[in-house]
């Protein structure tokens, strides 16, 4: 893993946007994986700015989202479809035909999940997957005890995650219990993973992910076995890391050709 500690959310998000933009400029048919939640919002804002002001062209990219709530009207303010079209897709020149967000209303969920995996494969796999992290260490919606080799499937949310995500539902009780999420095995096949985490409330999950043992109890820790994962965090999210000085030192002494 490469751990990059930035002074604040803005600097971290700008750096993450440069990773995404570099891929799109190098590979016009790039396949991008997107995450939702509060964390990637400044990244999406910066990508929209790059599209507007620097002509960053999303015309030929394909996208896959990590997850979606089951049984939720896609037009609901809490749905991840609403989120993506509000914060990113509606503001860039992406081809709607190449956007993939799990369909939480699919009548046959296991069959639909297999199809989602097929679509990722048919697109050539995901080049870069943006990830946030839950306070319980989940990525996508792979809650603690998820199989480390899991594929896209239905999951039941923990009480903690339903509480964390209650904001757009007008109360915890209205947050759906079930979701469709890419599995940890699916995420591990993405060529690059870009994990973002900001704020003190993520510090423990970040420390366990980066420096703890690989464990299904901290699903994000499986990324220790991924060949190219970049973790971009702010100062607060880095506060529980034991080797933060080393990560800063590595970043400061990168050879020029490795810098973004
Ligand atoms: C949800 C999403 C995750 C996201 C997590 C953290 O559970 N399914 O993909 O990483 O929330 O959200 P936030 O960034 O709002 O803290």
């Amino acid at each position: 893993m490469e751990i990059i500690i930035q002074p604040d959310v803005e600097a971290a998000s700008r750096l993450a946007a440069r990773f995404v933009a570099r891929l799109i400029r190098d590979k016009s048919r790039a396949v991008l994986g997107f995450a939702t939640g509060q964390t990637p919002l400044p990244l999406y804002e910066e990508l929209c700015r790059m599209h507007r002001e620097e002509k960053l062209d999303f015309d030929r990219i394909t996208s896959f989202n990590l997850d979606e709530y089951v049984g939720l009207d896609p037009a609901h303010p809490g749905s991840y479809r609403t989120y993506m079209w509000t914060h990113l897709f509606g503001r860039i020149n992406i081809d709607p035909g190449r956007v993939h967000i799990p369909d939480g209303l699919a009548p046959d969920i296991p069959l639909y999940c297999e199809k989602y995996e097929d679509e990722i494969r048919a697109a050539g796999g995901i080049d870069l997957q943006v990830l946030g992290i839950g306070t319980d260490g989940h990525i996508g919606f792979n809650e603690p005890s998820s199989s480390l080799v899991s594929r896209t499937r239905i999951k039941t949310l923990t009480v903690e995650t339903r509480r964390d995500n209650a904001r757009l539902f007008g109360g915890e009780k209205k947050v759906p219990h079930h979701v469709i999420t890419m599995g940890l095995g699916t995420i591990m096949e993405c060529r690059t993973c870009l994990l973002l985490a900001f704020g003190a409330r993520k510090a423990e999950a970040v420390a366990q992910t980066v420096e703890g043992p690989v464990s299904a109890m901290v699903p994000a820790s499986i990324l220790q076995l991924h060949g190219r994962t970049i973790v971009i965090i702010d100062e607060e999210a880095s506060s529980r890391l034991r080797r933060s000085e080393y990560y800063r030192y590595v970043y400061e002494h990168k050879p020029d050709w490795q810098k973004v």
Side-chain angles (χ1 to χ4, degrees):
M1 280 189 190
E2 179 177 2
I3 322 299
I4 304 178
I5 303 167
Q6 292 287 285
D8 51 37
V9 175
E10 290 68 34
S13 304
R14 276 197 303 273
L15 182 63
R18 290 214 296 278
F19 273 103
V20 177
R22 186 179 66 176
L23 172 69
I24 296 172
R25 289 190 174 117
D26 287 354
K27 187 175 178 185
S28 68
R29 290 185 179 276
V31 180
L32 292 172
F34 289 117
T36 50
Q38 293 292 302
T39 306
L41 286 176
L43 159 66
Y44 297 157
E45 197 57 47
E46 177 65 1
L47 290 175
C48 293
R49 188 198 64 75
M50 288 172 147
H51 169 63
R52 236 177 18 248
E53 295 174 13
E54 298 170 13
K55 300 195 172 28
L56 183 62
D57 188 5
F58 294 81
D59 187 36
R60 302 177 85 176
I61 72 150
T62 297
S63 76
F64 287 92
N65 260 75
L66 282 169
D67 44 21
E68 180 59 287
Y69 294 99
V70 167
L72 192 66
D73 179 347
H76 188 284
S79 84
Y80 286 164
R81 184 167 300 266
T82 301
Y83 172 105
M84 289 309 298
W85 282 96
T86 305
H87 298 295
L88 187 63
F89 298 155
R91 303 168 63 198
I92 56 174
N93 65 330
I94 195 166
D95 174 353
R98 282 198 268 265
V99 166
H100 304 81
I101 301 173
D103 178 4
L105 298 179
D108 183 337
I109 290 179
L111 187 69
Y112 176 79
C113 292
E114 269 179 45
K115 199 177 128 233
Y116 202 69
E117 292 270 338
D118 289 344
E119 283 175 333
I120 295 174
R121 264 190 296 275
I126 296 172
D127 291 304
L128 184 146
Q129 175 65 55
V130 176
L131 296 168
I133 186 167
T135 51
D136 62 3
H138 74 241
I139 48 176
F141 266 134
N142 294 281
E143 297 284 32
S145 82
S146 286
S147 156
L148 296 176
V149 294
S150 50
R151 312 302 306 189
T152 302
R153 69 209 183 294
I154 191 167
K155 282 294 291 179
T156 305
L157 296 180
T158 61
V159 172
E160 183 177 346
T161 299
R162 290 182 65 236
R163 193 182 309 129
D164 285 351
N165 291 1
R167 204 173 48 88
L168 292 168
F169 289 89
E172 200 178 316
K173 290 208 174 75
K174 296 189 183 151
V175 180
H177 287 272
H178 297 110
V179 293
I180 293 175
T181 181
M182 278 187 208
L184 294 171
T186 321
I187 293 169
M188 287 295 283
E189 283 171 10
C190 301
R191 286 185 268 281
T192 299
C193 289
L194 186 61
L195 176 72
L196 307 177
F198 307 136
R201 55 192 285 275
K202 298 293 174 72
E204 186 55 35
V206 167
Q208 290 193 34
T209 296
V210 174
E211 296 177 339
V214 173
S215 160
M217 294 315 286
V218 183
S221 65
I222 189 65
L223 294 170
Q224 291 179 29
L225 301 179
H226 187 276
R228 189 171 151 75
T229 287
I230 302 158
V231 178
I232 304 183
I233 52 183
D234 66 353
E235 291 284 349
E236 288 183 6
S238 77
S239 59
R240 306 290 291 265
L241 289 168
R242 275 171 295 157
R243 304 297 299 267
S244 58
E245 285 317 310
Y246 174 64
Y247 310 138
R248 284 181 219 275
Y249 178 88
V250 170
Y251 189 63
E252 278 160 22
H253 293 87
K254 262 177 176 259
D256 282 342
W257 59 269
Q258 264 193 345
K259 292 182 179 157
V260 176

